[in-house]
């Protein structure tokens, strides 16, 4: 009875938030229940930040015992991109023990109903939100994000995406009524009468395969979409970014226990160094849903081989910005400079290719040649990152050696318009901090095309000279169709060209941002309003978050009887 009272209390507490989220996804207007600014946390924001840092420090060198069944070893080995050894140990699971244990609690979770599942998920998110300063350090020291970005993107923005998934999941489950009285007239005979009951039933166990760069932001949509639709969820973090998702699992298990549900509905699958358990997990018969963020190669493998599961992937693409003309030249340069620099370009939405007519563009400051546009953009990036303190706050650290290798190799692909430089970090001397490189390429040359038509993840951008704006639109179409894109940007003062770019993006299913010159950037999306990816081009087969992202995580089963 105590658990029932707890669920009732959670319903009273969280139902208004759920209703507000449902309204937000309907109107697509701005809304967030999770504050972005550190001062909003605790009575004194600075003290709460200190408490969060102390809580993170207390985790270092400890074992995070989640109480999971089937633990047969302890694994770890994370090293922060800032040079800190985390030393946290995580349970390694015997899957033949853990997976059956996860299934055992699904019946009660299914029978609890969509509203109860939703409010329990909201309680999990609330408790995570209460620990945002602690989570921020965990995200920072596994992803390499600068602290404020880790605080916002790894905290409230990730929580927003989780809540958005819960709202979509709830809306789809209650679209069909739980019961219906069906009567068909038979003329002079008695009517046919049936009583029908409809129950959303989960697919099985969902597997979330986490990524290194945004463990919570990319992990929460799949986790909460599956959990809210009645599925158990096994979280397999990236081996370099375990801690944020392990803490998430810890909170989820505590809330499930406190509300009378089986904590094994959410579990962690950490791996030994080099073990590579993702393929094994993804093809187990118990796994019926897979959520994945990462490389195209492994995403394609999952789509081809995890045949028993519904697979949702966010892979990679070649993001493009067309610069045809602008009515705010300085604003455009500042906006692009920020977009190229944020988190050292280590975002799946960062622009890579800047397509600029070789004869130049028209602007509010007069005509600008191709070389002038590129030189002015390089100067804007230099100005933005000229102060080391500001640069560290924007760039963060290079997340892994592969990004650094690509960055260093990019200078040999063409004429360097802006060279990358290293920046010392005053607090973390072992951090690898690099400014972006901009390389000029001729779009008409095959060797140049081989470079810019390949994703180069990290702080690398190509300024590509094209013969005309029309050729830029054609190249955009081919890029999205063949390589995919999470984002597309365009700058133009021509209504005709704007319509041409819009038509390309509608036909090739790419999300488009036009003429951004202020504080909104092409590589940022807002939960409840913006769709992240489209699911309609090779960059991803799913969008965060839409109806398609949640609706196939459950099926509606009908039981009918004569009235």
């Amino acid at each position: 009875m105590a658990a029932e009272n707890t669920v009732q209390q959670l319903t009273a507490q969280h139902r208004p938030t759920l209703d507000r989220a449902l309204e937000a996804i309907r109107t697509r207007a701005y809304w967030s229940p999770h504050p972005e600014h550190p001062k909003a946390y605790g009575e004194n924001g600075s003290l709460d930040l200190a408490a969060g840092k102390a809580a993170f420090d207390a985790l270092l060198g400890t074992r995070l015992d989640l109480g999971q069944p089937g633990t047969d070893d302890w694994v770890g080995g994370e090293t922060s991109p800032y040079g800190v050894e985390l030393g946290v140990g995580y349970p390694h699971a015997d899957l033949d023990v853990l997976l059956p244990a996860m299934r055992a609690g699904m019946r009660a979770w299914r029978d609890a109903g969509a509203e109860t599942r939703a409010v329990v998920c909201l309680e999990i998110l609330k408790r995570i939100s209460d620990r945002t300063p602690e989570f921020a350090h965990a995200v920072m020291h596994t992803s390499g994000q600068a602290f404020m970005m880790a605080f916002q993107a790894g905290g409230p923005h990730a929580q927003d995406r989780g809540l958005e998934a819960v709202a979509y999941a709830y809306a789809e489950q209650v679209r069909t009524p739980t019961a219906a009285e069906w009567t068909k007239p038979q003329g002079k005979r008695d009517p046919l009468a049936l009583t029908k009951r409809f129950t959303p039933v989960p697919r099985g166990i969902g597997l979330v395969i986490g990524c290194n760069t945004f463990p919570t932001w990319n992990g929460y949509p799949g986790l909460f979409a599956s959990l809210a639709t009645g599925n158990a969820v096994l979280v397999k973090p990236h081996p370099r970014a375990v801690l944020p998702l392990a803490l998430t699992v810890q909170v989820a298990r505590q809330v499930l226990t406190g509300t009378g549900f089986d904590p094994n509905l959410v579990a962690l699958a950490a791996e030994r160094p080099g073990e590579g358990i993702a393929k094994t997990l993804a093809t187990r018969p118990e796994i019926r849903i897979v959520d994945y963020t990462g490389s195209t190669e492994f995403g394609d493998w999952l789509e081809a081989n995890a045949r028993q599961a519904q697979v949702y992937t966010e892979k990679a693409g070649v993001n493009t910005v067309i610069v045809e003309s602008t009515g705010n030249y300085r604003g455009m340069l500042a906006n692009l400079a920020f977009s190229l620099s944020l988190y050292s370009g280590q975002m799946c939405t960062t622009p890579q290719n800047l397509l600029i007519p070789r004869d130049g563009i028209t602007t509010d400051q007069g005509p600008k040649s191709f070389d002038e546009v590129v030189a002015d953009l390089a100067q804007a990036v230099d100005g933005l990152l000229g102060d080391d303190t500001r640069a560290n706050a924007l760039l963060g650290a290079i997340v892994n050696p592969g990004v650094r290798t690509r960055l260093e190799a990019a200078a040999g692909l063409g004429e360097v318009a802006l060279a990358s430089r290293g920046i010392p970090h005053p607090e973390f001397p072992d951090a690898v901090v690099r400014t972006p490189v901009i390389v000029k390429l001729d779009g008409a040359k095959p060797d140049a095309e081989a470079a810019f038509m390949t994703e180069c993840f990290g702080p690398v951008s190509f300024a590509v000279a094209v013969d005309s704006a029309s050729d830029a639109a054609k190249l955009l179409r081919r890029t999205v169709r063949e390589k995919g894109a999470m984002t597309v940007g365009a700058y133009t003062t021509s209504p005709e060209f704007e319509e041409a770019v819009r038509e390309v993006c509608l036909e090739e299913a790419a999300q488009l941002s036009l003429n951004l010159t202020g504080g909104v950037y092409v590589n940022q999306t807002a939960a409840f309003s913006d769709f992240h990816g489209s699911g309609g081009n090779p960059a991803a087969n799913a969008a965060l978050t839409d109806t398609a992202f949640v609706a196939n995580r459950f099926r509606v089963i009908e039981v009918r009887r004569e009235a």
Side-chain angles (χ1 to χ4, degrees):
M1 187 60 67
E4 282 185 20
N5 290 337
T6 301
V7 170
Q8 292 168 2
Q9 292 165 3
L10 292 182
T11 302
Q13 179 181 355
H14 295 308
R15 182 70 215 208
T17 302
L18 176 60
D19 289 338
R20 187 65 185 84
L22 292 167
E23 177 69 6
I25 63 174
R26 186 188 68 83
T27 64
R28 316 306 293 182
Y30 171 76
W31 177 71
S32 171
H34 304 113
E36 289 183 317
H37 202 283
K39 289 183 179 179
Y41 292 82
E43 294 183 6
N44 185 316
S46 60
L47 289 180
D48 208 54
L49 286 179
K53 176 64 162 59
F56 168 76
D57 288 342
L59 291 168
L60 303 182
T62 67
R63 282 184 174 178
L64 197 67
D65 190 348
L66 301 175
Q68 295 183 176
T71 298
D72 59 12
D73 198 2
W74 293 89
V75 296
E78 292 159 292
T79 298
S80 167
Y82 291 95
V84 177
E85 290 281 350
L86 271 61
V88 180
Y90 306 100
H92 181 276
D94 179 340
L95 298 177
D96 291 329
V97 175
L98 179 60
L99 292 175
M102 295 183 71
R103 284 197 59 86
M106 286 182 58
R107 179 176 178 177
W109 186 236
R110 178 201 70 199
D111 292 345
E115 183 180 63
T116 292
R117 289 193 295 270
V119 298
V120 170
C121 286
L122 264 61
E123 176 65 12
I124 295 170
L125 285 165
K126 179 191 180 299
R127 294 198 195 180
I128 292 171
S129 177
D130 291 343
R131 293 170 61 179
T132 290
E134 176 188 356
F135 271 73
H137 287 282
V139 172
M140 173 184 175
H141 284 289
T142 51
S143 71
Q145 295 175 30
F147 177 74
M148 188 52 69
M149 183 175 184
F151 189 98
Q152 294 181 338
H157 296 172
Q159 296 150 21
D160 282 351
R161 282 296 186 192
L163 175 54
E164 178 186 45
V166 173
Y168 269 100
Y170 175 81
E172 287 308 302
Q173 290 173 95
V174 300
R175 187 180 301 279
T176 302
T178 57
E181 299 295 329
W182 183 87
T183 303
K184 180 180 179 180
Q186 293 288 297
K188 295 180 178 180
R189 292 177 294 170
D190 291 340
L192 299 176
L194 296 176
T195 297
K196 303 181 181 184
R197 294 191 62 83
F198 304 97
T199 304
V201 299
R203 281 188 169 270
I205 298 175
L207 172 66
V208 174
I209 303 176
C211 69
N212 195 174
T213 48
F214 288 88
T216 55
W217 197 99
N218 280 110
Y220 284 4
L223 192 165
F224 284 99
S226 285
L227 192 62
T229 49
N231 303 279
V233 182
L234 181 61
V235 179
K236 205 295 292 182
H238 191 284
R240 292 193 185 98
V242 183
L243 184 57
L245 290 177
L247 292 175
T248 301
V249 170
Q250 182 186 55
V251 173
R253 292 175 64 84
Q254 290 168 349
V255 171
L256 288 164
T257 299
T259 49
F261 295 104
D262 191 333
N264 297 320
L265 287 165
V266 180
L268 185 77
E271 57 192 314
R272 301 183 181 96
E275 187 177 6
I277 63 173
K279 285 186 176 181
T280 301
L281 281 171
T283 53
R284 295 249 336 187
E286 302 96 331
I287 300 298
R288 302 304 305 277
I289 303 167
V290 176
D291 286 278
Y292 167 75
T293 301
S295 72
T296 297
E297 180 183 11
F298 190 58
D300 289 346
W301 186 93
L302 286 170
E303 290 170 6
N305 291 278
R307 309 291 299 196
Q308 84 295 346
Q310 177 70 33
V311 178
Y312 300 90
T313 61
E314 181 195 312
K315 297 175 286 190
V318 176
N319 300 319
T320 300
V321 173
I322 296 178
V323 182
E324 186 269 341
S325 57
T326 179
N328 184 353
Y329 187 61
R330 290 300 166 193
M332 178 191 77
L333 294 174
N335 192 280
L336 284 174
F338 189 93
S339 295
L340 301 184
S341 302
L342 184 62
Y343 184 33
S344 300
Q346 298 171 126
M347 304 172 70
C348 65
T349 49
T350 300
Q352 175 179 301
N353 294 344
L354 309 174
L355 307 186
I356 307 167
R358 66 178 76 254
D359 291 336
I361 67 171
T362 59
T363 80
D364 58 318
Q365 298 187 10
K368 299 288 182 179
S369 69
F370 171 84
D371 288 337
E372 285 177 316
V373 174
V374 179
D376 289 345
L377 178 58
Q379 186 177 15
V381 174
D382 253 349
L384 178 67
L385 304 177
D387 176 76
D388 284 359
T389 300
R390 179 180 174 85
N392 275 305
L394 282 175
L395 295 170
I398 298 298
V399 68
N400 61 53
V403 175
R404 182 176 181 178
T405 298
R406 286 190 293 273
L407 170 61
E408 293 172 348
L413 298 175
E415 180 185 344
V416 176
L418 176 65
S420 177
R421 64 184 179 89
I423 295 178
H425 197 293
E427 187 177 356
F428 303 104
D430 293 330
V432 178
V433 183
R434 295 288 186 271
T435 63
V437 62
I438 300 176
V439 178
K440 292 198 289 188
L441 297 173
D442 187 335
K445 295 182 177 179
D447 58 338
E449 181 173 305
F452 68 73
M453 285 292 281
T454 301
E455 188 198 24
C456 192
F457 184 78
V460 177
S461 292
F462 299 114
V464 182
V466 294
D467 289 339
S468 67
S470 176
D471 287 326
K474 291 176 183 176
L475 180 54
L476 169 65
R477 182 186 295 277
R478 186 159 64 88
T479 301
V480 177
R481 181 175 295 177
E482 295 179 8
K483 303 297 181 179
M486 295 299 293
T487 56
V488 172
Y491 291 89
T492 180
T493 57
S494 164
E496 294 78 17
F497 186 70
E498 177 180 317
E499 179 58 27
V501 174
R502 176 177 173 272
E503 189 61 26
V504 169
C505 290
L506 290 176
E507 292 182 356
E508 304 301 330
Q511 310 293 13
L512 173 63
S513 297
L514 288 165
N515 297 320
L516 298 182
T517 58
V520 175
Y521 304 95
V522 67
N523 43 347
Q524 295 175 317
T525 58
F528 308 107
S529 187
D530 294 321
F531 292 111
H532 176 74
S534 71
N537 70 64
N541 75 357
L544 304 181
T545 300
D546 62 6
T547 295
F549 187 70
V550 301
N552 214 15
R553 295 172 190 264
F554 69 96
R555 309 308 296 170
V556 177
I557 301 304
E558 174 186 354
V559 176
R560 59 185 182 170
R561 69 181 72 240
E562 291 187 352

